[in-house]
Amino acid sequence: MAAWDTTLIMSDSALRQRKSKRIMQKQTEVKADWISALPDSVLCHILSYLPTKNAVATSLLARRWKLVWTSLQKLYFDDRQSRRLPGMMGDPMPGFEEFVETVLTGTYPTNITTFFVHCSRPVDLSSFHLWVCSAVRRNAREIELYLDQNHRVELPEELYTSVSVEVLKLMSDFVIKVPAGGTSFPNVKILSVQLESPENSLTEKLFCSCPALEELSIQAYLNDEGPTTKFVISSSTLKRCTLWVATEGEMFTQAEYKVRITAPSLERLHIMSDIFGKFVVHDLNSLTDVILDIVYGEWSRVDPNRAIQLLQRLNNTKNLTVSYGVLCALDHAYHIWFPALSHLQHLEVAVGAIGWAVLPVILSSSQNLQSLILRKQSRFEVTEEQFGWIEGDIVPNCLLQHVKKIEIKGVEGDDDELILVDYLLKYSSVLEVMVICFKGSVSKQERRDIGRSILQMALSLPDGDHIVEGVSVLAVHAWCGLL
């Protein structure tokens, strides 16, 4: 009887296990198939985050997925995602054009949101024009094009008059012709263009012919031997502008360019350049953020006063970032005059071997400055005439009354750095936060040693206990070496 009972119990346990496995199997099947149960609109939204090549490949998963991709509204075509044969970069990508045409003819929506094409190999230009025109006719809102050809390619005329396109990114050098009527891309709010040795007939008209433009990005490559390039940007709607200028000769370039900006709604301006162009700006009353990353050196033929003149025109900005090149130009020119930056609240400046003489001038001109970031560009060259921070006869008013946060980046523990920290701690009367960011090459032990030096320096100052207590973040970050 006991043996029978054991067998019965074991059989009952086996039944429960088999039943549990069946339940788990059914649950697994349900979990594995819940995506397929979603409506087509949701599935299309999920597929829109994939390259179109991968989205189309889902048609092989099951019958349920066979036609889902035909309702895609975001189309991404990139031949870099296809396999390439070595040594065949100059030849067309086998099957790429056929794939694009298959998708365009196989998708049904009359409206698409995004059309992205990146061709790193030659394609048939008639096909390329048909692709772009197809996107325009389907009322695409965002179009991004890159085409690597041996010569510049004209844009289809339909693109200039499209009322649906709001974002247009031309990531290679296309032939752009402003229509005779003077209006291009009537509803484009975001425009990015890449220009190589552009003609003034384009750069003086294009950026003024877009009536709805809010964000503009220009990437220009200038020929060293070409004539002066003139950029004219006049827009009542423009809010953000980025200008990036590169030259062939870099340090000893003969290239020259001029920029005229009239934009009463402009809020953010970012300029990156190998050389200091001539800037004339008007009506920048809404400007709040400016980044000036411009190269200038002793070899430059450019008048350094251009830096002063540019700052004078940007004196309404609240946030200003200045590269080491701009600081060098200011250092060469400030002896004549320097503009007042009375609206400036945040300043970030890169400092190196040059520029220490003008830095107190900048601070004195920024009466209402509240935040200061100093980035150490390179190791300071200590000489008798110039040893880093140069203490003036008058302490800048902003340090005495307004600066609450100071950050110093790239600290290595040099004596001239400690001189600077000592000065800032001594005269920044309302300072709340000081952050010391060490260079990556500084060891943890060196960071601790620097932290102790700064802490001792603060304690040795008059009312040192109050300084350490009020600027507690300094002690934490510097002592622990967290930055």
Side-chain angles (χ1 to χ4, degrees):
M1 184 69 179
W4 181 85
D5 290 341
T6 303
T7 303
L8 182 63
I9 292 171
M10 291 177 64
S11 299
D12 185 58
S13 175
L15 287 172
R16 287 198 300 271
Q17 289 179 2
R18 284 197 293 269
K19 183 176 180 181
S20 176
K21 287 181 179 179
R22 286 197 299 270
I23 293 173
M24 291 178 64
Q25 186 177 7
K26 288 182 178 180
Q27 290 177 343
T28 302
E29 291 175 355
V30 171
K31 288 181 179 179
D33 198 47
W34 72 269
I35 293 181
S36 296
L38 295 172
D40 282 3
S41 58
V42 177
L43 293 179
C44 273
H45 181 73
I46 295 173
L47 294 183
S48 67
Y49 291 95
L50 299 175
T52 301
K53 176 186 176 182
N54 296 339
V56 173
T58 60
S59 62
L60 302 176
L61 293 175
R63 183 180 300 177
R64 170 71 179 88
W65 291 84
K66 186 174 183 180
L67 298 177
V68 173
W69 68 271
T70 62
S71 299
L72 286 173
Q73 293 187 321
K74 295 183 178 181
L75 303 179
Y76 297 87
F77 302 106
D78 191 340
D79 65 355
R80 294 171 298 181
Q81 297 169 350
S82 302
R83 292 183 179 179
R84 293 174 176 163
L85 298 176
M88 302 289 287
M89 292 299 295
D91 297 333
M93 176 63 64
F96 179 72
E97 293 184 36
E98 291 78 2
F99 174 72
V100 175
E101 291 172 5
T102 298
V103 172
L104 290 177
T105 56
T107 48
Y108 300 117
T110 55
N111 296 329
I112 61 176
T113 58
T114 305
F115 183 72
F116 173 97
V117 175
H118 187 287
C119 298
S120 56
R121 291 189 174 188
V123 297
D124 182 81
L125 294 183
S126 60
S127 298
F128 176 77
H129 281 103
L130 288 175
W131 301 345
V132 178
C133 290
S134 175
V136 171
R137 291 165 189 163
R138 295 188 186 194
N139 301 315
R141 293 202 300 270
E142 181 175 351
I143 294 180
E144 181 171 339
L145 305 173
Y146 174 86
L147 189 59
D148 189 5
Q149 300 287 112
N150 294 327
H151 57 279
R152 299 169 69 200
V153 176
E154 289 190 20
L155 293 173
E157 293 184 4
E158 292 187 41
L159 187 58
Y160 293 97
T161 57
S162 170
V163 295
S164 63
V165 179
E166 297 180 356
V167 179
L168 179 60
K169 298 181 180 181
L170 305 175
M171 308 312 292
S172 53
D173 187 27
F174 289 94
V175 176
I176 305 174
K177 296 182 178 180
V178 179
T183 300
S184 306
F185 317 122
N187 288 319
V188 168
K189 297 180 180 179
I190 300 176
L191 176 64
S192 296
V193 295
Q194 179 173 306
L195 307 172
E196 297 183 14
S197 302
E199 297 178 354
N200 289 333
S201 58
L202 173 64
T203 57
E204 291 180 344
K205 297 178 182 179
L206 175 61
F207 313 118
C208 305
S209 66
C210 306
L213 194 59
E214 294 182 5
E215 182 174 327
L216 174 62
S217 177
I218 305 170
Q219 188 171 344
Y221 297 87
L222 306 186
N223 190 326
D224 285 350
E225 299 179 356
T228 299
T229 303
K230 299 178 182 178
F231 298 92
V232 179
I233 303 170
S234 180
S235 172
S236 61
T237 57
L238 187 64
K239 295 181 180 179
R240 295 170 295 279
C241 180
T242 299
L243 175 63
W244 186 89
V245 179
T247 60
E248 296 176 353
E250 297 181 357
M251 290 182 10
F252 302 102
T253 181
Q254 301 295 316
E256 176 70 295
Y257 69 94
K258 298 180 180 179
V259 181
R260 187 170 78 237
I261 304 176
T262 305
S265 300
L266 189 65
E267 299 171 355
R268 187 178 189 274
L269 177 63
H270 187 179
I271 300 173
M272 298 171 286
S273 178
D274 288 347
I275 54 175
F276 228 117
K278 185 176 182 180
F279 294 87
V280 179
V281 298
H282 302 281
D283 301 330
L284 301 187
N285 302 323
S286 301
L287 196 62
T288 57
D289 296 280
V290 175
I291 300 176
L292 301 179
D293 187 0
I294 306 174
V295 175
Y296 181 89
E298 297 290 343
W299 63 85
S300 179
R301 301 180 300 106
V302 176
D303 182 0
N305 283 308
R306 290 183 178 181
I308 299 285
Q309 294 165 0
L310 179 58
L311 277 188
Q312 182 190 27
R313 295 291 186 176
L314 304 177
N315 60 358
N316 283 328
T317 188
K318 295 180 179 179
N319 305 303
L320 175 64
T321 299
V322 174
S323 69
Y324 180 55
V326 176
L327 190 69
C328 290
L330 294 174
D331 188 78
H332 282 76
Y334 81 95
H335 306 280
I336 302 174
W337 60 283
F338 201 91
L341 304 173
S342 56
H343 294 85
L344 194 62
Q345 297 179 6
H346 171 81
L347 173 65
E348 179 172 351
V349 59
V351 294
I354 301 174
W356 289 103
V358 72
L359 189 55
V361 178
I362 298 175
L363 295 178
S364 297
S365 300
S366 309
Q367 292 287 325
N368 298 302
L369 191 69
Q370 298 180 15
S371 173
L372 173 64
I373 297 178
L374 298 176
R375 286 186 290 110
K376 186 178 178 182
Q377 188 76 12
S378 60
R379 180 174 292 276
F380 304 162
E381 297 178 4
V382 181
T383 65
E384 293 182 0
E385 296 80 17
Q386 181 174 298
F387 61 95
W389 176 256
I390 301 174
E391 183 173 343
D393 297 332
I394 301 176
V395 178
N397 185 67
C398 64
L399 293 179
L400 295 172
Q401 297 188 10
H402 300 291
V403 173
K404 297 180 180 180
K405 180 179 180 180
I406 296 177
E407 186 172 348
I408 306 175
K409 298 181 178 181
V411 171
E412 299 175 279
D414 297 335
D415 291 339
D416 43 11
E417 294 169 348
L418 297 179
I419 292 173
L420 171 61
V421 172
D422 180 58
Y423 179 88
L424 295 175
L425 284 174
K426 184 178 180 180
Y427 292 111
S428 299
S429 304
V430 296
L431 186 66
E432 297 176 356
V433 176
M434 176 179 278
V435 180
I436 304 296
C437 299
F438 295 98
K439 208 169 183 178
S441 57
V442 181
S443 67
K444 291 184 178 180
Q445 183 58 48
E446 289 174 322
R447 298 183 186 195
R448 294 190 185 97
D449 293 341
I450 297 171
R452 292 191 186 96
S453 298
I454 294 175
L455 186 59
Q456 292 174 0
M457 182 189 305
L459 290 171
S460 66
L461 293 172
D463 202 15
D465 293 338
H466 173 72
I467 292 175
V468 172
E469 181 181 354
V471 194
S472 57
V473 176
L474 165 67
V476 173
H477 289 310
W479 185 270
C480 300
L482 298 178
L483 296 175

